[in-house]
Amino acid sequence: MNNMNLEFQTQPVDMNSWRLPENQRWAFQHMAEILPTATISRGDGQVAQLPEGHRDLDSVILPPVFAGEVPMSVGSVMATTETDGWMLLHRGQVLTEQYFGGMGAGTQHLLMSMSKSLVGAVAGALCDSGILDPEGQLTDYLPELTETGYAGATVRELLDMRSGIDFSENYLDPAAGIRKLEEAIGWAPAKAPGPTGMYPYLRTLERKTAHGGVFEYRSCETDMLGWICEAASGSSMDILLSDLVWGKLGAESDASVGIDQFGTAVFDGGINATLRDMARFGSLFLNDGLSLTGERVLSSEWIEQTLAGAPDSRDAFADSPVDNLMPGGMYRNQMWFPYEGSDVVLCLGIHGQMVYINRPAQVVAVKLSTWPVPQDPARLFPTLRAFDAIAAALLVEVETASAPTPSEPEPSK
């Protein structure tokens, strides 16, 4: 492990200031000291061991995108993208694990929208058990939604972010739905009178188009999904996460989740967890839903249909009103697929959070960061390319090592 560039917070950080760029690195590692949270218990199960086989991955060079591009190394990408910690597993073995800015192996870091993938896993486990029907109407679980914009929508449309709800995810617009949501749940000071709490806010959302249309990334979809999971199961999200995912994952540490004024989880981006445990989570998508301890977390069928997508998932993604900069990709069950095919799967969160899963190379990589801006393709795509480059190099190594040795010619008689 590498831990360097220690930084210490000397000024108080609160709801008004935690999102300021100068405070984010400290805040993302100390959310429980700023805002209310609930514990996601790891339980008392077996810890999935992560054997170490450290190698120099920093010197791996990224293939150029265009002629004349200045060569970049994995190390230079990590050094220029506000990395708080990153690690890479190959076939379950740790090849590198590095921390910066005061973060350590036991630090819970804010996952932002990688939380969505964890809530998606809870929904998957509930579908596996028959408690939740992916094709069911939301009003089957919450009749009170009959008078809201979500009337007529299905669980599947939430999982794939294909409802017709009117909600803006423009992080730079102070009047966008995402910013109003943050005010409602107490993550930001209210600028105008409005609903208080997650559920009251979701009830105000209106429909703009028919449900089941194109993909549009909206945090409210995961928030409604979390509410549906709670209604279907009769348990709160912190308990669901513990019982269905975290307690079966072989997690090393408890996680936590931000909660609103009434104790409701911030489903779309409020989970905090360690780097190592997010690598364990990513491994589910290499092992067909089994944890590294061999315990079943998600069914192989859920993993299979996540990877396959719906027949029109990629068309719905391509027709999104916002350019997702991932031609040929798709979004399925709260997971991102950045390329054609399903070899690479991502969990993503703003300000630079990523779990990278490369199935052919048997690689899981995790990067936790504090970019000064929410979204930045100039930081996102070099990170993706860095992990691609490592995975490609490891795949060549494995294929070379497993290639049959040419037989020696028989001696002439």
Side-chain angles (χ1 to χ4, degrees), residues 380-401:
L380 171 63
F381 289 104
T383 300
L384 183 55
R385 289 174 56 205
F387 290 150
D388 281 343
I390 297 171
L394 292 171
L395 191 57
V396 168
E397 283 186 11
V398 170
E399 290 175 345
T400 300

Side-chain angles (χ1 to χ4, degrees), residues 4-201:
M4 56 188 298
N5 299 341
L6 294 179
E7 295 178 3
F8 300 94
Q9 185 67 30
T10 58
Q11 299 297 319
V13 177
D14 57 19
M15 179 182 70
N16 298 288
S17 61
W18 71 277
R19 296 294 289 270
L20 296 175
E22 61 268 26
N23 293 335
Q24 281 179 357
R25 171 164 266 181
W26 184 89
F28 282 22
Q29 299 176 40
H30 297 85
M31 290 300 293
E33 298 174 42
I34 304 168
L35 296 166
T37 61
T39 297
I40 300 168
S41 173
R42 67 162 302 277
D44 56 5
Q46 177 185 357
V47 174
Q49 298 303 309
L50 300 178
E52 297 183 357
H54 287 275
R55 298 177 54 176
D56 173 21
L57 301 183
D58 286 2
S59 60
V60 174
I61 301 299
L62 281 60
V65 173
F66 53 86
E69 180 185 25
V70 176
M72 288 191 295
S73 68
V74 168
S76 66
V77 169
M78 299 304 165
T80 55
T81 54
E82 292 80 23
T83 306
D84 297 329
W86 79 282
M87 70 181 299
L88 186 138
L89 304 184
H90 179 230
R91 296 183 166 184
Q93 185 178 55
V94 180
L95 299 193
T96 193
E97 182 177 357
Q98 302 181 34
Y99 298 97
F100 309 91
M103 188 172 170
T107 303
Q108 288 187 10
H109 191 287
L110 182 62
L111 303 182
M112 286 296 188
S113 288
M114 291 205 306
S115 306
K116 294 177 170 68
S117 298
L118 289 166
V119 172
V122 167
L126 292 175
C127 289
D128 287 340
S129 66
I131 293 173
L132 192 63
D133 177 6
E135 306 307 325
Q137 297 273 320
L138 305 188
T139 49
D140 294 342
Y141 303 98
L142 285 170
E144 65 192 89
L145 297 180
T146 302
E147 303 302 321
T148 74
Y150 273 110
T154 65
V155 175
R156 165 54 55 209
E157 287 156 357
L158 296 182
L159 282 162
D160 296 349
M161 294 203 183
R162 295 179 62 179
S163 85
I165 286 295
D166 187 7
F167 183 92
S168 170
E169 196 80 11
N170 184 351
Y171 300 102
L172 302 182
D173 178 3
I178 187 63
R179 296 310 184 197
K180 292 179 181 178
L181 170 59
E182 290 173 349
E183 294 175 22
I185 62 175
W187 270 32
K191 297 181 175 64
T196 298
M198 175 68 75
Y199 295 163
Y201 176 79

Side-chain angles (χ1 to χ4, degrees), residues 125-313:
L126 292 175
C127 289
D128 287 340
S129 66
I131 293 173
L132 192 63
D133 177 6
E135 306 307 325
Q137 297 273 320
L138 305 188
T139 49
D140 294 342
Y141 303 98
L142 285 170
E144 65 192 89
L145 297 180
T146 302
E147 303 302 321
T148 74
Y150 273 110
T154 65
V155 175
R156 165 54 55 209
E157 287 156 357
L158 296 182
L159 282 162
D160 296 349
M161 294 203 183
R162 295 179 62 179
S163 85
I165 286 295
D166 187 7
F167 183 92
S168 170
E169 196 80 11
N170 184 351
Y171 300 102
L172 302 182
D173 178 3
I178 187 63
R179 296 310 184 197
K180 292 179 181 178
L181 170 59
E182 290 173 349
E183 294 175 22
I185 62 175
W187 270 32
K191 297 181 175 64
T196 298
M198 175 68 75
Y199 295 163
Y201 176 79
L202 293 174
R203 291 189 191 101
T204 70
L205 297 179
E206 299 178 354
R207 195 182 74 178
K208 65 175 179 180
T209 60
H211 297 307
V214 300
F215 164 77
E216 184 176 355
Y217 184 78
R218 288 155 295 176
S219 288
C220 62
E221 303 282 78
T222 311
D223 292 322
M224 183 57 73
L225 179 65
W227 189 5
I228 293 294
C229 288
E230 292 186 336
S233 66
S235 296
S236 61
M237 184 54 67
D238 55 316
I239 300 299
L240 289 172
L241 278 163
S242 176
D243 290 350
L244 300 180
V245 180
W246 218 247
K248 295 182 175 182
L249 196 63
E252 194 170 351
S253 306
D254 290 343
S256 64
V257 60
I259 54 177
D260 73 1
Q261 303 89 333
F262 305 103
T264 302
V266 181
F267 309 105
D268 67 85
I271 299 176
N272 306 270
T274 67
L275 188 73
R276 295 168 64 83
D277 284 340
M278 288 310 295
R280 293 177 170 99
F281 175 73
S283 297
L284 295 176
F285 294 85
L286 292 184
N287 300 326
D288 296 327
L290 292 174
S291 76
L292 291 174
T293 66
E295 185 165 3
R296 174 67 63 189
V297 180
L298 294 167
S299 70
S300 58
E301 291 80 11
W302 182 263
I303 299 295
E304 182 180 355
Q305 61 102 332
T306 299
L307 297 171
D312 63 344
S313 289

